[in-house]
């Protein structure tokens, strides 16, 4: 005879009392589904494709190893032409763009020499005649915060060696007054020009030398180590940055000289990387995108393959619904502010960096990075609880990304639209906060979720597809 | 009227029941004191000097910041002369030395050119006529595992800038077949000669350049960061090593060339450091000694200022009893073994590295490094419980060394001989394990405690001093 098991919903004291009598108690945090989703949940639940499709989607994502194979200008590897600008999040025009995105576009226009003074770029973008905006995601790229990419910017090139697929991300500029937070002052442009003239070419030489001598750098493997070193790889990338520096520094010494850079350039580049704990974020992000892209376009799959914000809209894409974006208003994060800044100074959520949470790290792995609460707010128990809660809305645990303090449990991976709608639990993102006004830069960091309504939207599209397929079968 | 508080000893169910009624419960893990210590505990308890002395000792320890100020040969900074050998732990002669200590001494003799073949050094040490052994601790130094230091070895030089006091440690060789684990084959000596010819001088040039340009490297500060990055700074020094590399790499590029080293030497040295996750241990250890030495020689203080093992004896020194060593037989660690090695292959506990636990990190900070259980054994809950348990035998929490997952509680610092004797809780050390046979090298890593009897020994000496002082006062 098996032991009795008691399932209790809500009645905590009853559960305690039963547990005190040595009976196994399954505590279920049951909540009603999101309003209006019952019929769509039912339609998707009976879609016979769903279990297999989600299994294939998750296996595809978990099977990808991201390798750093090159560093090269966006003009070369993304085919970006003068006047073409990439940005974070779902599609948006200048008219609806927020302050930080506008600021980054203005700085980008000056960097490319389209205008001398960034302020003059306002007219350029308002006219829209010689410039165009496009999401990073539409060119296999991701960009943190404003995510603006211009043709002359140098990009990390990551590759899934099994399939040859590649993803891309710009080089990280550091914190404070930086383009991705919407700042565009002279110091921002000077730094970007140095990155274009020295850092980018030097990293290209070093990366190519490492690839030739010992093979490409295993970025997914660095992420494995980071998660054992207090990084969650969204707002803490300290250990990742140090491991990247470890892997590239010896080659920077040798190949830097070959590429015509002197010891001063090499030492300055090492200081720049080592002095910016977020440097590795721009490798973590395309590594996550590379994995998630493997799970795209699987009919019937309810797995989220991208979460991204442009500072105005928060958008998600789902495996079973192709390239469609489901969007709603981006929220303002709740968190901690730099200096005298406060909530009124913060722009709404912005950036492609929520690709980390989509892949199961970042906010989803906060349990492994409790020190992050000093940056983004909240308490250590909150951080542990967040990771546990994200397991309720995800399809799998990632065995390569484990959380030591949770006894090496894999990170919660593969957000399931149906689970989000059924539980009302929203994905937890931790994020930097940009100032609302173009030119300000970073004002803080905090915690944020997507707008709830985009999940029922996505569910409705999945349900429509399920009903159509079902109707097709019964013809 | 204040709320009732209930103190329960042992009766867990009663405590639960009372807590269920919303009464504050103080759960006390009471155990009887170590046998035979009652009278000495009573004598020390009434020593009026004790509270102030322990407060002064702890404050002195917590007040020290260790800075890396130089790298130089032991002959220069320790005055070591040909034939003089330092070793880990309390004093010992060749006759009682264990296999790994003998192996390291044999290799050291060959390194110094006293013999051509390490095997020939056995006769040299047996005769004892032209060689002498002395603990590292007696020369302000510490050495991991066998801890053998010879005149030509290059040493890290750490300084307490406030007092000018300095401590020293050799450069870490890596893992496996290395001198400190008792190996002395040709590959060991080749590596040590490269370290003497290239790595040491290059690190000297880089360190001196950093000191001149931006001031000495704050080793205590790196320890603060490490503890937020999954290192406990005894058997995990991965983040510490990477931060050290970050801090020295740019200067290695510039000053390396000035010191006559080419890019190949610089790149090879960076690879050596980056490829050895334990490299920083040899900075963590002298940083801990520098702090603890500040708490020495305070009459009436019951704080342990050193724990050290020579592979045969485990010894402690206590603030209130000067340079006296209290020793007992070193235990064999319980842990995980490399390859086909097993418990029978392991030597007893060896090394000065327990200075980390003495200062409140290493085994005392295992809660912050749960991934270490994969190296030393045990479970993640054990690791968390160990740190909590060490708070029961320590005098203070170190506010600079905090453990995020324990809600930023400071590490348990300042082992109190009276608390150890009163509770029977022994300090928890995590450690590498050397092979018993000279020449073998590392066989595993695990968990170990000091032999219990050395604490009652130390307590008896403290009690004698307390009684003498009391007798002096009543004259």
């Amino acid at each position: 005879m098996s032991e009795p098991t008691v399932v209790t919903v809500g009645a905590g004291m009853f559960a305690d009392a039963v547990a005190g009598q040595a009976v196994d108690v399954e505590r279920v945090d049951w909540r009603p589904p999101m309003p209006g989703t019952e019929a769509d949940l039912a339609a998707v639940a009976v879609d016979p494709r769903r279990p297999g499709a989600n299994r294939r989607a998750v296996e595809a994502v978990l099977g990808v190893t991201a390798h750093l194979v090159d560093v090269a200008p966006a003009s070369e590897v993304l085919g970006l032409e003068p006047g073409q600008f990439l940005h974070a999040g779902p599609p948006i025009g200048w008219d609806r763009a927020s302050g930080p995105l506008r600021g980054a576009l203005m700085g980008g226009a000056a960097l490319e020499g389209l205008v001398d003074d960034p302020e003059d770029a306002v007219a350029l973008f308002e006219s829209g005649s010689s410039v165009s905006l496009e999401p990073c995601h539409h060119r296999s790229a991701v960009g943190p915060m404003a995510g603006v990419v211009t043709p002359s910017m140098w990009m990390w090139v990551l590759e899934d060696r099994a399939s040859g697929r590649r993803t891309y991300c710009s080089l990280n500029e550091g914190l404070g007054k930086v383009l991705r937070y919407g700042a565009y002052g002279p110091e921002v442009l000077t730094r970007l020009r140095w990155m274009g003239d020295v850092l980018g070419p030097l990293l290209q030489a070093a990366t190519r030398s490492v690839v030739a001598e010992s093979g490409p750098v295993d970025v997914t493997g660095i992420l494995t180590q980071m998660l054992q070193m207090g990084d969650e790889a969204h707002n803490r990338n300290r250990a990742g940055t140090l491991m990247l520096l470890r892997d590239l520094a010896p080659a920077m010494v040798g190949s830097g000289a070959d590429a015509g850079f002197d010891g001063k350039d090499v030492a300055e580049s090492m200081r720049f990387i080592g002095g910016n704990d977020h440097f590795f974020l721009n490798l973590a992000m395309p590594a996550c995108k590379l994995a998630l892209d493997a799970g795209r376009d699987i009919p019937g799959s309810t797995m989220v393959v991208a979460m991204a914000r442009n500072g105005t809209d928060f958008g998600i894409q789902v495996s079973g619904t192709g390239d469609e974006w489901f969007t709603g208003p981006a929220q303002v994060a709740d968190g901690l502010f730099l200096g005298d800044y406060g909530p009124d100074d913060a722009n709404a959520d912005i950036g492609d960096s929520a690709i980390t949470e989509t892949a199961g790290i970042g906010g989803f792995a906060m349990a492994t990075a409790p020190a992050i609460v000093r940056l983004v707010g909240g308490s250590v128990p909150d951080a542990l609880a967040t990771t546990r809660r994200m397991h309720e809305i995800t399809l799998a645990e990632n065995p390569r990304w484990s959380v030591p303090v949770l006894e090496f449990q894999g990170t919660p991976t593969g957000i399931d639209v149906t689970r989000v709608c059924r539980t009302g639990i929203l994905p937890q993102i931790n994020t930097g906060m940009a100032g609302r006004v173009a030119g300000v830069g970073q004002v803080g960091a905090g915690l944020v979720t997507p707008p709830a309504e985009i999940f029922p939207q996505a569910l409705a599209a999945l349900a429509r597809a399920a009903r159509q397929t079902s109707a097709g079968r019964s013809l």
Side-chain angles (χ1 to χ4, degrees), chain A:
Chain A
M1 203 184 93
S2 72
E3 291 294 316
T5 299
V6 174
V7 177
T8 67
V9 179
M13 284 189 67
F14 177 60
D16 291 344
V18 174
Q21 296 166 53
V23 174
D24 279 347
V25 178
E26 190 80 19
R27 290 168 204 253
V28 176
D29 182 20
W30 187 85
R31 313 177 191 201
M34 288 181 166
T37 59
E38 290 82 356
D40 290 337
L41 278 171
V44 172
V46 298
D47 183 348
R49 303 171 306 169
R50 189 175 53 93
N54 278 341
R55 195 166 51 242
R56 276 170 55 211
V58 159
E59 280 172 8
V61 169
L62 298 182
V64 172
T65 302
H67 282 101
L68 169 63
V69 295
D70 203 1
V71 181
S75 57
E76 287 178 26
V77 288
L78 298 179
L80 272 198
E81 299 191 359
Q84 293 187 321
F85 293 79
L86 302 186
H87 63 81
I92 193 168
W94 175 265
D95 55 323
R96 294 182 64 247
S98 65
L101 177 50
R102 288 186 174 192
L105 289 166
M106 291 156 66
L111 179 69
E112 295 299 317
L114 304 180
V115 291
D116 286 333
D117 183 338
E119 303 287 348
D120 296 338
V122 173
L124 187 73
F125 286 107
E126 280 178 348
S127 82
S129 58
S130 58
V131 293
S132 65
L133 307 189
E134 187 184 2
C136 292
H137 267 293
H138 293 190
R139 296 233 190 182
S140 300
V142 272
M145 302 307 290
V148 166
V149 177
T150 63
S152 73
M153 286 185 186
W154 289 72
M155 310 293 285
W156 296 112
V157 182
L158 270 59
E159 186 177 287
D160 171 17
R161 310 278 278 178
S163 68
R165 283 185 309 105
R166 292 184 164 199
T167 53
Y168 309 89
C169 188
S170 57
L171 309 180
N172 193 288
E173 314 159 76
L175 283 175
K177 294 268 181 200
V178 286
L179 190 80
R180 74 179 185 284
Y181 277 95
Y184 53 77
E187 77 277 29
V188 175
L189 294 173
T190 300
R191 187 189 306 112
L192 286 170
R193 290 193 180 108
W194 173 80
M195 290 169 68
D197 294 341
V198 177
L199 185 67
L202 183 54
L203 288 174
Q204 180 184 67
T207 299
R208 290 180 175 182
S209 157
V210 168
V211 169
E213 282 175 29
S214 50
V217 176
D218 179 354
V219 175
T220 305
I222 292 180
L223 284 162
T224 298
Q225 296 300 325
M226 288 167 70
L227 294 174
Q228 313 228 337
M229 297 174 73
D231 283 353
E232 39 64 83
H234 185 171
N235 278 284
R236 268 186 79 100
N237 283 280
R238 180 170 286 183
T241 297
L242 292 169
M243 284 186 273
L244 180 71
L245 182 61
R246 172 198 66 192
D247 289 348
L248 296 183
M252 288 168 76
V253 175
S255 56
D258 297 344
F261 294 101
D262 63 16
K264 202 164 143 289
D265 289 330
V266 173
E268 191 179 358
S269 296
M270 288 180 181
R271 274 192 204 95
F272 181 80
I273 297 170
N276 171 11
D277 286 341
H278 291 251
F279 196 73
F280 189 81
L281 172 63
N282 294 38
L283 284 152
M285 286 173 54
C288 289
K289 179 168 175 60
L290 194 63
L292 287 159
D293 279 0
R296 280 181 180 262
D297 299 323
I298 298 177
S301 171
T302 58
M303 192 183 77
V304 177
V305 294
M307 297 197 290
R309 316 87 99 197
N310 59 33
T312 303
D313 316 302
F314 191 118
I316 59 171
Q317 292 178 310
V318 178
S319 177
T321 55
D323 292 337
E324 189 173 354
W325 286 99
F326 305 99
T327 63
Q331 315 291 302
V332 176
D334 181 18
L336 304 176
F337 291 87
L338 302 174
D340 293 333
Y341 292 120
D344 291 345
D345 301 308
N347 194 74
D349 198 15
I350 186 168
D352 288 332
S353 56
I355 197 74
T356 56
E357 280 85 7
T358 321
I361 50 180
F364 282 42
M366 281 181 66
T368 210
I372 201 169
V373 303
R374 293 270 166 97
L375 176 72
V376 298
S379 71
V380 172
D382 291 344
L384 292 164
T386 296
T387 294
R388 290 203 180 94
R389 195 168 68 248
M390 293 304 104
H391 283 289
E392 297 190 40
I393 57 169
T394 44
L395 294 163
E397 296 174 8
N398 187 335
R400 285 198 286 189
W401 292 346
S402 74
V403 178
V405 81
L406 297 183
E407 301 191 57
F408 299 97
Q409 185 179 22
T411 57
T413 301
I415 301 166
D416 181 355
V417 170
T418 65
R419 285 174 208 227
V420 173
C421 292
R422 215 167 55 206
T423 62
I425 297 173
L426 294 172
Q428 181 67 68
I429 296 161
N430 68 46
T431 187
M433 277 188 269
R436 290 174 58 228
V437 177
V440 165
Q442 184 173 15
V443 299
L447 298 166
V448 71
T449 62
E453 62 264 38
I454 60 179
F455 294 94
Q457 272 180 44
L459 180 72
L462 289 162
R464 271 195 302 278
R467 289 187 194 106
Q468 281 164 8
T469 309
S470 164
R473 271 196 307 277
S474 39
L475 282 180

